[in-house]
Amino acid sequence: MPHKPAVPSQRLTLKTVAALAGVSTATADRVLNQRPGVRPITVQKVRQAAQALGYLPDALADAAPQSAPWKLAFVLPQGQNPYLRMLGDTIGFSESHQAPFNVKCQVEYVESFNPEALAASLLRLGKRVQGIAFMAIEHPAVREAVQQLADRGVPTLTVISDLDNSARIAYVGLDNRAAGRTAAYLLARFIGSQRRDAQIALIAGSRSYLAHEEREGGFLQLHAEQFPDMQILGLRESYDDSSRNYQQTKELLQRHPHIAGIYNIGGSSDGVGRALQEAGREHQVVLIGHGLTPDTRALLINGTMDAVITQSHLGIIMSCIRMFSNLRDQLDTMTAVDIVRSQIIFRENLP
């Protein structure tokens, strides 16, 4: 007697299950109706997705063949950057999203802006996990560690900031050059056409992050193309430290009392905002930054910050997990992977 198909919830469809599992609707249908011709790992993934969505009874889901989960590590820099702290927290809180992919994720923090510490962490983790996603630092030691891992069959992904000319399999994050161009356009438009000779300052975490270097390059490129009369006061590095951002901004305001705009390329915009507020300039100096966090949200609400360019924490994590899952299942790396897109957040469209 043929197996009776599972009866779905009225609010769910087979397409929903297939999307969560990262397979075609036809494959999901074959699995849920127990037809042959589907690899065991794919069967497991579809049934776990269906179970997570409440689409089929637990007993049927539990019948899926089990294999040991892939151990994945996310390596992030320590420090005050609120966005990166939230990213690490989200990895720990997203177990329900990870379940359909049969993976087990952990987070490891390394000393910020220390390439040797990052390289050592990658090599150590490579002995006990099947995949590593990490925020890269441009340095030969890091590039060599990635190559050694590739030679040992341990795939790596870069997140937020990429690593040029390396053996990593993919980069997950914003187009940072486009993000820098966007910031330049927003800043100039906020300042207005009546202030063509306005002074603008850039603050970065560090140029050792390719992301920050690319954002700076994109900013300067669009500035030269469209707003060449505005004066760039140069770039300062603050290592994503709130107190350094505060001090850098305080000194800028003292040396350049007519400054019109600041682009914070890195994190910890709260330090910049505090200096502007103390000087009574929070509604006079345009401030553009990155990463929607409780700190930048508060600055948007009180009008100290004008716009935040951000990307979804969960989107980054799930893109990495899906890529590693594709590798394990011998699929194309980018199968069913959503491109991480930038969001521009203003006070009026806060999510």
Side-chain angles (χ1 to χ4, degrees):
M1 179 180 295
H3 175 73
K4 184 178 179 180
V7 180
S9 164
Q10 292 180 349
R11 293 178 295 176
L12 298 172
T13 67
L14 188 63
K15 186 177 180 180
T16 308
V17 176
L20 181 59
V23 301
S24 68
T25 304
T27 298
D29 179 73
R30 295 182 72 85
V31 171
L32 296 181
N33 290 291
Q34 296 186 308
R35 299 190 184 100
V38 184
R39 288 180 300 171
I41 190 65
T42 305
V43 171
Q44 179 183 8
K45 198 169 7 177
V46 171
R47 288 183 169 175
Q48 286 181 331
Q51 183 182 22
L53 292 168
Y55 190 88
L56 82 171
D58 290 351
L60 184 57
D62 290 340
Q66 296 294 314
S67 60
W70 257 34
K71 296 179 181 178
L72 306 177
F74 287 78
V75 183
L76 301 174
Q78 292 174 333
Q80 298 183 16
N81 189 313
Y83 183 86
L84 295 178
R85 291 203 304 270
M86 286 182 65
L87 179 61
D89 291 342
T90 302
I91 294 166
F93 296 149
S94 61
E95 290 184 356
S96 62
H97 294 273
Q98 302 168 20
F101 298 94
N102 193 30
V103 298
K104 187 176 180 60
C105 299
Q106 68 179 84
V107 185
E108 174 144 333
Y109 294 95
V110 297
E111 182 182 348
S112 300
F113 309 103
N114 185 332
E116 287 80 11
L118 174 57
S121 177
L122 293 175
L123 292 173
R124 177 171 46 79
L125 286 167
K127 297 177 181 178
R128 52 188 176 89
V129 301
Q130 281 77 49
I132 303 173
F134 69 104
M135 184 169 172
I137 298 174
E138 274 288 330
H139 193 276
V142 179
R143 195 170 286 104
E144 177 61 21
V146 170
Q147 183 62 58
Q148 289 186 35
L149 290 172
D151 292 343
R152 284 156 42 185
V154 180
T156 58
L157 294 169
T158 53
V159 298
I160 312 295
S161 190
D162 201 4
L163 184 64
D164 272 345
N165 302 313
S166 69
R168 58 90 174 130
I169 61 169
Y171 161 69
V172 179
L174 297 183
D175 178 337
N176 286 295
R177 188 166 294 277
R181 289 179 62 89
T182 301
Y185 181 79
L186 288 172
L187 202 61
R189 297 295 291 178
F190 270 113
I191 291 171
S193 59
Q194 300 304 312
R195 302 181 64 186
R196 285 286 182 178
D197 59 347
Q199 295 177 324
I200 298 171
L202 280 63
I203 300 175
S206 171
R207 286 193 177 100
S208 63
Y209 284 142
L210 183 61
H212 293 193
E213 180 183 327
E214 290 177 338
R215 290 173 190 175
E216 179 193 9
F219 187 99
L220 295 177
Q221 185 181 49
L222 186 126
H223 166 267
E225 291 172 2
Q226 299 189 28
F227 308 99
D229 294 333
M230 291 187 177
Q231 180 185 355
I232 303 296
L233 298 175
L235 181 131
R236 292 154 176 79
E237 293 181 307
S238 63
Y239 300 98
D240 285 349
D241 182 89
S242 180
S243 60
R244 290 191 184 192
N245 273 348
Y246 166 76
Q247 191 61 41
Q248 295 271 24
T249 306
K250 187 174 180 179
E251 292 173 2
L252 276 168
L253 295 174
Q254 291 170 349
R255 294 180 183 178
H256 306 280
H258 302 297
I259 190 172
I262 298 174
Y263 173 34
N264 184 29
I265 294 174
S268 300
S269 289
D270 57 314
V272 180
R274 181 159 60 96
L276 290 173
Q277 290 164 359
E278 285 187 5
R281 303 287 306 281
E282 68 271 27
H283 298 139
Q284 300 169 12
V285 177
V286 177
L287 174 59
I288 308 290
H290 284 268
L292 185 62
T293 64
D295 296 331
T296 54
R297 177 184 289 271
L299 292 172
L300 285 169
I301 290 172
N302 66 32
T304 301
M305 204 163 190
D306 296 278
V308 171
I309 302 169
T310 195
Q311 53 194 317
S312 165
H313 295 97
L314 186 59
I316 291 171
I317 296 163
M318 295 312 299
S319 290
C320 291
I321 289 174
R322 206 177 274 278
M323 286 183 189
F324 283 128
S325 177
N326 288 340
L327 284 172
R328 177 191 59 200
D329 296 346
Q330 299 181 338
L331 301 174
D332 182 87
T333 306
M334 300 305 295
T335 299
V337 176
D338 293 327
I339 297 174
V340 176
R341 301 187 184 279
S342 65
Q343 298 172 283
I344 303 174
I345 308 297
F346 307 99
R347 180 171 62 179
E348 305 307 324
N349 71 337
L350 272 167

